Amino acid sequence: MPRKPPPPLPTVRTIRMVQPMIWLILAWRDMARAGWISFAHGLAVTLAGGAMLSVAHHRFWLLAGALSGFLVVAPVLATGLYALSRALERGEPANLGVVLRTWSQWQTSRGNNGGGDAWCMVRFGLLLALAGTGWVLTSAALITLLAPVPIETPVDFLRHVVMAREGWLFELWLGLGSLMAAPIFASSVVAMPLLLDRRATLLQAVLTSWQAVVANPLPMAFWAALILGFTLLGLGSLLLGLVAVLPMLGHASWHAYRDLVDASSLPEREIPNGAATALQNNGVAR
């Protein structure tokens, strides 16, 4: 029996080194136009992080892994922001309804056997969550087993891990984190926006994401550095900066996808019938 040919991939474009800065500018424009619903995403993550801090503030060995694991699952948390940017791009209302429809699409697409239904987003989200959980456990094991003293506070982490004169714990922690983060970044940098926008399979989305990174190694390395820098800024401001950082990076990631990928060869993802009917009843259908 002949093997099936691999699914065709969308065309990937090459971009300029400074393009990530333009994505951030466009993100601020989207945030201003979407208003409170955009910042609500950042507020929700900030509140969740605050709850995490209250539970684990004396267990920084766990908190360090959990906060850094946030970078892994962030592409999923920003799904509603991609939808808002897409709606703004199309001249459609960018409101709470757009976000709710986006998160509920998977419930109405289970019967699609073509591989391009919204369950792809759910499966990809679960994979990222599994990777994030794996890093949290790895980070906690490294710090608790190899640290010379119990690490309970941020000061302990800085003194006995980051600035330790003996041993290589911090370098090992960073190295393993980078080793895990690099392939996840390459797999997810445009995968979630593509799955949201087009009827693509999970394999198509991940391979397209890798192709975008391979075709633009320096701009994508710059983009990864910007994501890391702004995320650290948000975390370092007692999480308050995440109220603006998360929506900014989420909207910017949509514009990254639009610049990097020509997905016109793939059919657009349609609104499920139930959602479309509700829209028509409210007089805001496309």
Side-chain angles (χ1 to χ4, degrees):
M1 184 176 178
R3 296 178 61 183
K4 278 187 175 183
L9 300 181
T11 301
V12 168
R13 306 183 184 99
T14 56
I15 59 173
R16 297 174 299 162
M17 187 70 183
V18 298
Q19 202 66 23
M21 299 301 296
I22 297 176
W23 300 338
L24 294 176
I25 294 172
L26 294 174
W28 278 104
R29 184 192 65 180
D30 286 355
M31 291 165 66
R33 295 170 66 192
W36 72 270
I37 188 62
S38 183
F39 288 94
H41 286 75
L43 179 60
V45 171
T46 300
L47 293 176
M52 189 187 306
L53 281 173
S54 66
V55 171
H57 66 285
H58 286 308
R59 300 176 181 87
F60 196 75
W61 50 269
L62 175 61
L63 192 60
L67 292 179
S68 54
F70 161 78
L71 290 170
V72 177
V73 298
V76 179
L77 301 178
T79 300
L81 297 165
Y82 310 147
L84 290 172
S85 285
R86 182 178 63 168
L88 291 170
E89 184 180 281
R90 296 179 174 183
E92 300 171 351
N95 51 31
L96 180 60
V98 171
V99 177
L100 294 179
R101 292 197 308 275
T102 299
W103 282 106
S104 63
Q105 271 192 14
W106 65 273
Q107 299 181 38
T108 57
S109 62
R110 297 182 64 175
N112 186 331
N113 296 320
D117 56 49
W119 272 91
C120 288
M121 291 188 285
V122 177
R123 290 194 293 270
F124 191 54
L126 291 175
L127 288 174
L128 291 181
L130 183 62
T133 302
W135 168 242
V136 171
L137 296 176
T138 302
S139 172
L142 278 175
I143 295 175
T144 54
L145 293 176
L146 301 182
V149 299
I151 305 299
E152 298 180 346
T153 67
V155 174
D156 291 338
F157 184 77
L158 288 173
R159 180 181 301 169
H160 300 292
V161 177
V162 177
M163 296 186 295
R165 295 183 179 181
E166 298 179 359
W168 296 88
L169 176 56
F170 183 59
E171 289 77 4
L172 178 61
W173 186 77
L174 280 181
L176 285 179
S178 301
L179 189 64
M180 184 202 72
I184 290 177
F185 173 79
S187 300
S188 61
V189 64
V190 297
M192 283 301 291
L194 176 57
L195 289 171
L196 173 73
D197 187 46
R198 300 284 168 165
R199 299 190 65 80
T201 65
L202 182 56
L203 179 61
Q204 283 176 308
V206 172
L207 290 180
T208 300
S209 194
W210 271 91
Q211 193 176 42
V213 172
V214 171
N216 301 276
L218 293 181
M220 298 313 291
F222 181 37
W223 179 227
L226 287 174
I227 292 174
L228 178 61
F230 278 109
T231 302
L232 291 177
L233 184 63
L235 295 175
S237 60
L238 297 178
L239 306 184
L240 295 178
L242 291 178
V243 175
V245 166
L246 180 71
M248 179 184 68
L249 294 179
H251 288 300
S253 295
W254 170 261
H255 293 288
Y257 155 70
R258 296 294 286 154
D259 276 353
L260 287 163
V261 180
D262 178 4
S264 58
S265 60
L266 298 174
E268 291 187 2
R269 185 177 299 283
E270 299 175 357
I271 298 175
N273 291 333
T277 302
L279 283 175
Q280 291 171 354
N281 292 337
N282 289 328
V284 293
R286 288 169 52 191

